[in-house]
Amino acid sequence: ICISFQGVESGFALWLNGQYVGYSENSFDPAEFELTPYLKEGENKLAVRVWKWTASSWCEDQDFFRFSGIFRSVYLYMLPEVHVWDVKIVPTLSEDFENGNLEITTLTCGKGTIKYCLAEDGEEVVSGEAVLAGDVGDAEACVVSFPVAEPKLWSAEEPNLYKLCVEVYNEKGVMVEVITQNVGFRRFEMLNGIMTLN
């Protein structure tokens, strides 16, 4: 169970049931905390103390009225035991542009499996799966790589995109998360002082 503060100026500290949870001092970026270790059954008491001035106030000294407090949304959310914290997708091309490769790095926690599927206009191009053997709460990287034959190239004139679908299953085979992402194959480089694309 996590809590997200989308914006608090200028700093704040958080307590749950009298136990200190954490502190944040970045006014204009989200601050998130895990509450699970501090929760109890029944009613829980959440307390937030906001400071108007902090050590970083000088850095955020922009031209606006300075009204301190919680000025954006605050919400609770729950993560499954098998969870993808982060996804990195790196599409690359061969020198002759005839073949591509898709490398997917996921930062995960928990035990289960991840299934990957790359599709073009609803037609499957490549797919595969990987086993997750991590512990709950301990993030570990899972890297898979797929060759893609004759990929359609992305450019501003022809913005060809593939759809990557990442499905996360727990140990019982129950789907707990689905992540979709558009993927484009292109190569940008400088050749003889000229910016080139594909």
Side-chain angles (χ1 to χ4, degrees), residues 89-93 99-104 115-129 144-152 160-167 179-185:
I89 303 166
V90 181
T92 55
L93 290 165
N99 295 291
N101 191 70
L102 187 66
E103 183 178 278
I104 307 164
K115 293 183 180 179
Y116 305 89
C117 179
L118 185 70
E120 179 200 0
D121 295 329
E123 295 288 324
E124 182 181 300
V125 178
V126 289
S127 64
E129 68 178 70
V144 294
S145 185
F146 300 106
V148 179
E150 299 179 355
K152 291 187 176 178
N160 297 307
L161 290 175
Y162 293 80
K163 179 153 286 195
L164 175 67
C165 182
V166 179
E167 297 176 349
I179 302 165
T180 58
Q181 183 71 47
N182 289 328
V183 177
F185 286 88

Side-chain angles (χ1 to χ4, degrees), residues 137-189:
D138 293 332
E140 65 174 37
C142 177
V143 182
V144 294
S145 185
F146 300 106
V148 179
E150 299 179 355
K152 291 187 176 178
L153 303 183
W154 182 96
S155 68
E157 294 77 22
E158 294 184 26
N160 297 307
L161 290 175
Y162 293 80
K163 179 153 286 195
L164 175 67
C165 182
V166 179
E167 297 176 349
V168 185
Y169 297 84
N170 63 18
E171 286 184 291
K172 297 177 182 177
V174 177
M175 184 189 297
V176 292
E177 281 186 330
V178 177
I179 302 165
T180 58
Q181 183 71 47
N182 289 328
V183 177
F185 286 88
R186 68 174 178 126
R187 184 160 72 225
F188 175 81
E189 56 190 337

